[in-house]
Amino acid sequence: DAGVIQSPRHEVTEMGQEVTLRCKPISGHNSLFWYRQTMMRGLELLIYFNNNVPIDDSGMPEDRFSAKMPNASFSTLKIQPSEPRDSAVYFCASSLRLAGSDTQYFGPGTRLTVL
Amino acid sequence: AQSVAQPEDQVNVAEGNPLTVKCTYSVSGNPYLFWYVQYPNRGLQFLLKYITGDNLVKGSYGFEAEFNKSQTSFHLKKPSALVSDSALYFCAVRDEDTGFQKLVFGTGTRLLVSP
């Protein structure tokens, strides 16, 4: 069974360019999460979706960041324009939300470097 | 607001010895507690969780954790450490009563198991 799939695994871009990160959640999962991991700030939740609807985007740092989930099997996180301080590892996670607990399963991450 | 503290940046243990990675939490309602492990250049892997019931939770790779409500702790343990257990460990908490799925992660503890 495939886990969460993220692409690309590595992205190097120049300041000012648009960056799009992609995520395919585990089939059958109905919740999707985007996280950012840096040495300074640790692991931060950026946004999450339930049934393709954004529920909490309070972690999105600025208007330069946007996320979409057009269907249950695909989500994007876009940064436009990118800045060097956006350099981080971005993780996507998915879960099956049931009454009670749900466990989040993480993808391998996208390492973003903005020059 | 919920929070998690991992008081040790690094834990060193010799192979074959028992290990403990500490975690304390703060929530207003009932906690859902999780442990994840991260190997270099990899995503977070789920180890175990506490929802309700038995205070001793068993998880993957021989790890277990003990929920202590009076001490608001959820320490990760393993009776006999392996060199391959060397990794970054994250504790996370969610407040059951909020109805939100947001997980709050600790800053991580690096476990180093020496041969």
Side-chain angles (χ1 to χ4, degrees), chain A residues 37 50 97 102-104, chain B residues 36 38 49 51 94 99 101:
Chain A
Q37 185 179 37
N50 277 344
R97 187 178 189 191
D102 52 328
T103 299
Q104 295 180 26
Chain B
Y36 286 84
Q38 185 178 28
K49 67 181 177 184
I51 304 303
R94 178 158 74 87
Q101 295 169 268

Side-chain angles (χ1 to χ4, degrees), chain B residues 36-83:
Chain B
Y36 286 84
V37 59
Q38 185 178 28
Y39 297 98
N41 301 313
R42 302 283 294 275
L44 277 71
Q45 295 180 31
F46 169 72
L47 277 180
L48 52 80
K49 67 181 177 184
Y50 170 83
I51 304 303
T52 187
D54 195 346
N55 289 342
L56 185 63
V57 179
K58 294 187 183 297
S60 306
Y61 313 121
F63 284 93
E64 58 188 26
E66 186 169 11
F67 171 66
N68 188 316
K69 187 173 184 178
S70 62
Q71 297 185 4
T72 61
S73 67
F74 190 56
H75 301 331
L76 182 69
K77 300 181 180 182
K78 188 174 182 181
S80 179
L82 300 173
V83 172

Side-chain angles (χ1 to χ4, degrees), chain A residues 9 31 33 35 37 43 45 48 50 91 95 97 100-104 106-108 111, chain B residues 32 34 36 38 41-44 46 49 51 88 90 94 99-103 105-106:
Chain A
R9 293 294 309 276
S31 296
F33 306 79
Y35 290 87
Q37 185 179 37
L43 198 61
L45 176 66
Y48 77 90
N50 277 344
F91 290 105
S95 70
R97 187 178 189 191
S101 73
D102 52 328
T103 299
Q104 295 180 26
F106 284 72
R111 183 174 297 276
Chain B
Y32 289 165
F34 300 79
Y36 286 84
Q38 185 178 28
N41 301 313
R42 302 283 294 275
L44 277 71
F46 169 72
K49 67 181 177 184
I51 304 303
L88 188 58
F90 290 94
R94 178 158 74 87
F100 293 109
Q101 295 169 268
K102 181 175 180 177
L103 271 183
F105 284 84

